[in-house]
Amino acid sequence: MTTLELPGILAREAGTREGYRVVELFIGAQHPASGHMRLIAYLDGDIVVRVDPDIGYVHRTMEKLAEQREYVRVISLLERMTIIDACNITLPYVEAVERLLGVEPPPRAKYLRTILCEINRIASHLYGLGIGGIFLNHSTMYMWAFGDREVFVHLASLITGSRLTHTYPIPGGVRRDLPQVFRDEFEKAKRYMLRRLKEYDKIFFNNPVVRGRLENVGVLSRHRAITLGATGPNLRASGVRYDARLLGYAAYGELGYEPVVGSEGDALERVWVRLREIEASLELIDRALREMPEGPILAEQYVRLIPPPMRKKWLEKGRVKLPGSYVRLKTKPGEVITRGEMGRGEVTYFLVSDGGVKPYRLRVVTPSARNLVLFDALARGHTLMDLPAIYGSLDYFPPEADR
C-alpha cells in the first residue's frame, strides 16, 4: 500500500473498490479530536462518495457488566460512557431503578439533579465547541472553550465533590445538598459566560473564515433528520422541536423549558444551536435556584436506614453516607424504559428486573450511537476537506458509541 501526503491527514491508499479509489483516513488514533474513531472514505478525486465510520473498541461491555453488579453500583459504571456528561447519562438509569423500586425522590432532589444536568450540559457543549475548533485548526476556539469549561467543572465539583464522575443521583434522591457558596459562585459564572458568549460569536460564529468552512456544509433537512433518527442539537438544528426534557423528568416539567430550534440544518447551524443552548442552560439553572423548595434530599424510607447516632449529623451537613444495606436494594420484577436529554441528544434505557438486587438485562441507546449514521449521510458530495468540518459540527463522542 502507498502512503499518501494529504494536508493535515495521514492517509493510506487501499486500492480500488466499487470503481472508486479507496483511501483510509487516519483522523485518529493520535488526533486530539477523534479519540479511537477513524473514518474510511471512498473518494472520486477530491469528492467524498461514501464514508464508513470505524468506531473502534474500548471493550467496556457495560451492558453485560451491569448484570453482575447491584443497581447502585451500576451508576458509577455507566457514567464512564460519557465522562464529560456524567449526570445526564446516569439520571435516566436512576429514574428507571426508582420506578422498579416504587420510590419517589423528594422535590428538592429533583431540582438539584436538574441543576447538575445543566452544568454538565454547558461543560459538554464547551468541550464539543473546543473539539470543533481543533477540526477547523481554530486553536483559539479550542483554548477558549476548554478554559471556560473549567468554570463549570468547578461548579459541578462544588455540588458533588468531584470534577467529572459525580455519581450524584442515587435511587431515592441525591448524595449532597447545595453548599452555601454555590449561589454566589454561579452568579459569577453566569455573568462571565454571558459576556464570553458574545465574544464567541465574534471570534467563531461570525468569523468569515469559520463561516466559509461551515455554512451550507453537511446540510441535514428536517425530513432527513427525522428519517435517519438524528437526535439532540443535530436534530434541532434542522428545525425539529424535540427535546427529551420536554417529557418533564426531574424538575424540567416545573421549569417550563423551551428548546432551541434552528432552521438551516447545516454545520454552522449545529454550532449555533449549541451556543444558544448554553444561554438556555444558564437561565434554567438560575430559575431552578430561585424556585427550588426546601426539604430533604433523600427519600424518607432510605433516611431510616442511616444509623440514628449519625443521621442528624449527616443530614445537617447535607452529606449522606449511606449504609451497606442500601447497596442491596431489591426491585419489583418488571420492565422499564426511560429517556433523558444529554448534551449530544437523547439517551434511552431499557431495564429488566427479575426481582433481585441486580439488573437482569440493561440496554442503552446513546446519542452518539444514533448520530453515527450522519457521517456518511452528510459527507457525500462534499470535498475531502469538508469532512473534518462536518465531523466537528456533529459533536461525536467515541466512547459513548462503543459501550
Side-chain angles (χ1 to χ4, degrees), residues 71-72 75 94 97-98 101 103 113 169-173 298 302 326 329:
Y71 286 101
V72 176
I75 301 170
V94 171
V97 176
E98 285 173 343
L101 289 168
V103 63
R113 290 174 176 183
I170 53 175
L298 191 63
Y302 299 138
Y326 178 80
L329 296 175

Side-chain angles (χ1 to χ4, degrees), residues 246-260:
L246 294 173
L247 300 173
Y249 68 95
Y252 289 112
E254 297 163 41
L255 294 172
Y257 175 70
E258 183 58 34
V260 178

Side-chain angles (χ1 to χ4, degrees), residues 84-85 119-129 343-344 395:
I84 58 174
D85 201 4
I119 291 172
N120 276 182
R121 191 180 318 280
I122 295 171
S124 174
H125 280 348
L126 288 171
Y127 180 95
L129 291 167
R344 288 164 183 75
D395 193 16

Side-chain angles (χ1 to χ4, degrees), residues 11 63 126 152 205 238 315 331:
E63 292 163 318
L126 288 171
F152 295 92
F205 188 73
S238 299
L315 292 178
T331 60

Side-chain angles (χ1 to χ4, degrees), residues 10 27 39 101 128 322-323:
L10 178 62
I27 311 177
L39 302 176
L101 289 168
L322 294 161

